Each structure stands twice: as C-alpha cells, then as structure tokens.
Amino acid sequence: MYGNSGDVEGNDPSGSRKASPPSAMPWVRNLRRYIGDGAGLGSEALMELETKKILLDIFKEKQQKSAAAGTIPSFYKKKPEDGSISHRVQRLAKYRFLKKQSDLLLNADDLDAMWVCLRENCVIDDATGAEKMNYEDFCHIASVCTEQIGPKCRRFFSPSNFMKFEKDESGRIAILPFYLYVMRTEMEAYIRGLIPNLAQLRDMPAAFVQMYCRIAAHKFFFFCDPNRRGKGCIKKILLSNCLQELMELHQESEEEVTDAEQAENWFSLASAQRICDMFLALDKDMNGTLSKQELREYADGTLTDIFIERVFDEHVRRGKGGGVNGREMDFESFLDFVLALENKDTPEGLTYLFRCLDLHGRGFLTTADIYTLFRDVHQKWIEGGNYELCIEDVRDEIWDMVKPTDPLHITLADLLSCKQGGTVASMLVDVRGFWAHDNRENLLQEEEEPVEEG
C-alpha cells in the first residue's frame, strides 16, 4: 500500500451561495409532475398505435368467442423462422415504415446542403469572427434551402425558432448553434419514430416521450460529434455502437431482460428515468440548471471540488448575466457530464475528462498537476476514515501505469494508449474511484469466487 505522507493541503472553498429564485421553467415543472401532451408523435406512429389497438380488440373478441365455445385460447405464437414468408413480410413492413420515416427527415446530403447555404449567406462578425445571420438573412436562407432541399426543411425557419437563439446587439444569431439544433431535432424525430417498433419502449408514458428522445439523441451526439461541429455525424451514427445499443430494445421484455441490463443500456426507459431523477434531485432551487454547489452532491459527493470547478470552466457556458453566479449547468451539459463519467474508458469520455485534468490548458499533465488534482482526493479519503497515504507515492504509481512517451508529461494520447486512462482519471477526480483502485485485488477476488448453492 501507500506510506505515510508529509504535507497535505486541504481545499475547502465556501459552498455558500445565494439561492436563485425559482424560475418558470416549464419543462422542469412538467417533468416533476410527469405530465405533458405527448406532442411530437408522427402520423405514422399514431397510425401504428391505432392499428395495435384495433388488433388487440379483435384478439379479445376472439378470446371471448373461444371461451364461450369451451376451447383454450392461444397465448403463445412461435416467431417466424428466418426465410419464411411471415419473416419476409415482417421485415418488409419494418423496412417500409423506416423508409417513410426517413423520407420525412433531412438526410446527410440535405444537412450538408443546408450547412453550405448557411455559410454562403451569412455575415462574419468583425469582433469575434463568428458566422452570423439576422432575421432578413434567415428568411432568405429559408427560401434558398426550400428551393434546393424541398419543403421538409421549411419547418426549421419559423420566426419562433429564430427567437430561440441568443442574439447579439445587432439582433443576429450564430449559424452553428442553429445548424446543431436542426441536427438534434432530426435525430430526436428519428428516435421518436422508432419508439412504437421497439418492444421495450412501446408502453412509454406519452408525457415522457419528448424528454426520452432528448436524452437518447444526446448520446449519439456525444459519441458521433464530440466537437459539436456536425461534420460526418449521420455517417458515424449509422456505424456507431449507439445505434446497435438502441436496436437492442427490439428484444421483448419477456425474454429475460434483467434490471441490470436495462440500467446499463442508456436508451432503456429505466436509464432515461434515472437520469431525470438525478437531475431533479440535484436541482434544489428548481430553476432548471445546476450550480457548482448543487453538482457537488452528484454521486453522494465523492467528486472533488477542483474537478467540479474545472467542469464548469471547460464544459459549461457562461450565463447571459456573466459573473460567477451567472454560470450554471443546463440539462444538455449535465447529459455530457454523466456520459463522460459513465464512459471514462472511451476516447470520447476520456477526452472530456482530460480537458478538466489539464489545469493550465497546455495539452499535457505534469507531476505538479497530478499532485494538485490528487490532493483533493486525499482530503476526502482521510475524511472518510481511511488510512494515511503518501500523495507522492500515488503520483509515482500513476506515472508507472501510464508510461508516457515523454517522461515529464502525460498527454491524452498517453492515457488512451496505456489502456488504463479511465482508471487514472477516476483516481484523480473521485475518491470512490481511488478506493476501487486501492481495493482492486479484493474486488477481483470477490468477482471470481463461485456463488454457493443453497
């Protein structure tokens, strides 16, 4: 284990904060009450639900007739065999439904054409270099896109959509946030269309559909477009593990889908509800965003203060009011945060975390950075009643785990190539992650011990 240490500095900044007055955030109130109109289901999905209802009525009527005749009603029907006529009809029906849904959405070529149109008809902000458009440009681009792509893109260019985005002193909005909004909306619409065909999602409450699509779509963007640039996103989605994970929900719930498997699948209804419950539990002042103090309660408060500070520095946009109290984490940023922590071993998750670990934005970590980061973990470790340890020993062990190309610096590439980057990141930001590493042999032994049959 680790030897005794010398100096240990604490880091206990004041957590006091003037409580923000509850604001009228409709989606927060609606989600808390679990109400809503379920708006957004396409006509095809509604038709699917109506058809299901009609077939169910017919089935019940046949059951009643069979019962009256004294026969035992059928309660099990064998799945069609591969290559059979029933199997081909089933596949054809699914294909035609998905094709009709895709025809209503913008495809990769449509999105590329819209991006080109936006860039060719915008103006460059002299102060920031950002590409922007005013409402007159917005209307002109709407006409050009409708002419080049078709009427299906017209819905994105409504006055209400223009008003959703932050405007500068000249009344202009940036084109990139608008373009990403279009992509996110298309992804959510695609997922909404799939819900009636996914066995484990068919019975989702209508009030939760919109929020579910928002959560589900976010994982696609986290893994397929980590830089939020929208480049190649559609192609990556078709080849991504995310789509495969979503398609696993085709499996009927009766086929022994355990609670653990559902919890591990981000796209399951149980997982989406878990994310909402976490956010609402942290949002003490119910204003629809999380302050640093509120986020410190995540995972029972095992994350370090310096990590929370760095998350806000690197991944949370500053509020319109500016200042320390003007920056709070919205729901989209919270989804990124959870995805990164729950996928630390992936390049996308580790990239998110490395930006927080890189205290000075230099692209590498030094021994001094490791010492500073682990100092907060050490403080929580001692406060938890654990044995004393030496920070320098932990720092040296991390260096041995990573074996960086440059013996003085640890880069993101080093963490990715050593195959232990997720473990290292967890050791530096979460006292529970360090505990798991410190007790890894005992935990491994417990996993390998056979379960005794009673």
Side-chain angles (χ1 to χ4, degrees):
M1 292 301 178
Y2 307 100
N4 294 332
S5 75
D7 298 333
V8 178
E9 296 183 26
N11 185 5
D12 187 19
S14 173
S16 61
R17 181 180 68 87
K18 186 178 180 180
S20 303
S23 65
M25 297 291 290
W27 72 268
V28 176
R29 295 201 311 273
N30 289 347
L31 185 56
R32 286 182 181 279
R33 299 171 186 169
Y34 212 65
I35 62 173
D37 58 6
L41 284 175
S43 58
E44 187 74 23
L46 292 174
M47 186 184 299
E48 182 81 14
L49 293 174
E50 183 65 22
T51 302
K52 182 179 178 181
K53 182 178 181 300
I54 294 172
L55 293 175
L56 182 60
D57 291 340
I58 295 174
F59 173 73
K60 288 181 178 179
E61 183 180 351
K62 287 185 177 181
Q63 274 193 322
Q64 292 173 354
K65 291 181 179 179
S66 298
T71 59
I72 300 176
S74 173
F75 61 90
Y76 173 76
K77 187 175 181 180
K78 186 178 180 181
K79 288 186 176 182
E81 297 180 359
D82 292 345
S84 66
I85 294 179
S86 298
H87 183 257
R88 292 179 183 179
V89 170
Q90 188 180 71
R91 291 185 61 185
L92 178 61
K94 184 182 296 183
Y95 167 77
R96 292 183 64 181
F97 169 75
L98 294 177
K99 186 177 186 303
K100 187 169 184 178
Q101 287 296 120
S102 65
D103 290 342
L104 299 175
L105 304 176
L106 302 179
N107 58 35
D109 292 335
D110 296 334
L111 290 168
D112 287 342
M114 180 180 287
W115 177 244
V116 171
C117 186
L118 286 166
R119 297 203 67 187
E120 289 180 346
N121 294 276
C122 68
V123 296
I124 307 298
D125 190 303
D126 295 332
T128 64
E131 297 170 309
K132 297 184 176 182
M133 57 182 171
N134 58 26
Y135 187 67
E136 184 177 351
D137 300 326
F138 184 75
C139 294
H140 173 68
I141 292 172
S143 299
V144 176
C145 285
T146 302
E147 182 179 333
Q148 294 183 359
I149 300 173
K152 60 183 177 180
C153 71
R154 189 76 195 183
R155 66 185 186 277
F156 295 108
F157 293 92
S158 65
S160 59
N161 275 350
F162 184 84
M163 295 302 296
K164 290 178 181 177
F165 298 92
E166 186 175 354
K167 287 165 279 296
D168 62 14
E169 62 278 0
S170 302
R172 301 174 302 184
I173 66 172
I175 67 170
L176 182 57
F178 172 76
Y179 178 67
L180 296 179
Y181 160 78
V182 172
M183 292 194 66
R184 188 184 72 227
T185 303
E186 292 294 279
M187 191 70 240
E188 291 179 8
Y190 174 75
I191 293 172
R192 186 179 291 111
L194 286 177
I195 288 176
N197 291 275
L198 299 176
Q200 297 178 41
L201 300 179
R202 286 174 188 153
D203 298 327
M204 183 188 302
F208 196 64
V209 170
Q210 185 174 1
M211 180 57 67
Y212 171 83
C213 294
R214 186 178 180 187
I215 294 171
H218 207 84
K219 181 165 186 176
F220 282 98
F221 285 99
F222 183 85
F223 283 98
C224 302
D225 186 25
N227 295 321
R228 303 296 182 269
R229 293 294 176 182
K231 294 302 180 182
C233 180
I234 301 299
K235 296 178 182 178
K236 285 186 178 181
I237 285 174
L238 296 176
L239 301 174
S240 71
N241 292 330
C242 297
L243 188 59
Q244 180 179 350
E245 185 180 359
L246 176 62
M247 290 300 105
E248 288 176 2
L249 301 182
H250 274 301
Q251 186 178 5
E252 294 288 347
S253 58
E254 291 81 7
E255 296 182 2
E256 299 182 355
V257 180
T258 66
D259 293 340
E261 289 174 334
Q262 288 187 357
E264 291 176 359
N265 190 324
W266 176 269
F267 299 102
S268 70
L269 181 58
S271 176
Q273 290 174 328
R274 172 181 66 89
I275 300 300
C276 289
D277 290 342
M278 280 197 300
F279 185 86
L280 295 176
L282 292 171
D283 186 17
K284 302 296 184 184
D285 57 10
M286 296 181 287
N287 69 341
T289 57
L290 302 180
S291 65
K292 294 177 184 178
Q293 185 62 30
E294 289 171 333
L295 190 62
R296 286 189 180 102
E297 300 302 315
Y298 179 86
D300 299 324
T302 61
L303 300 176
T304 63
D305 290 344
I306 191 172
F307 174 61
I308 298 297
E309 291 285 340
R310 291 294 298 150
V311 167
F312 273 73
D313 288 343
E314 295 293 331
H315 300 291
V316 178
R317 296 185 297 271
R318 189 175 299 278
K320 295 180 181 180
V324 177
N325 294 330
R327 178 181 289 186
E328 293 206 348
M329 176 180 281
D330 60 19
F331 189 63
E332 273 69 29
S333 297
F334 178 73
L335 293 176
D336 284 335
F337 176 78
V338 175
L339 282 165
L341 288 175
E342 294 186 355
N343 297 273
K344 291 186 291 290
D345 292 318
T346 65
E348 295 80 8
L350 199 53
T351 298
Y352 178 104
L353 296 174
F354 185 81
R355 286 179 57 184
C356 302
L357 301 177
D358 186 6
L359 301 179
H360 304 286
R362 297 175 297 193
F364 59 82
L365 309 180
T366 64
T367 55
D369 294 329
I370 299 296
Y371 186 96
T372 301
L373 289 163
F374 190 75
R375 191 171 54 197
D376 269 18
V377 176
H378 176 266
Q379 179 180 334
K380 286 183 174 291
W381 174 265
I382 297 302
E383 290 173 353
N386 296 291
Y387 67 89
E388 183 58 86
L389 53 82
C390 179
I391 298 180
E392 287 83 356
D393 290 346
V394 178
R395 180 190 61 194
D396 293 342
E397 180 178 356
I398 288 176
W399 230 258
D400 291 338
M401 292 169 65
V402 178
K403 294 180 176 59
T405 303
D406 183 340
L408 299 179
H409 300 147
I410 291 178
T411 64
L412 174 59
D414 292 326
L415 290 177
L416 291 170
S417 62
C418 76
K419 306 302 182 183
Q420 298 190 73
T423 300
V424 170
S426 186
M427 291 170 63
L428 293 174
V429 305
D430 187 350
V431 67
R432 189 164 50 189
F434 176 73
W435 182 90
H437 172 74
D438 190 52
N439 291 271
R440 59 194 179 280
E441 294 181 359
N442 294 334
L443 294 174
L444 182 62
Q445 185 177 358
E446 290 178 3
E447 291 178 0
E448 292 178 348
E449 288 180 355
V451 179
E452 296 183 2
E453 296 183 1

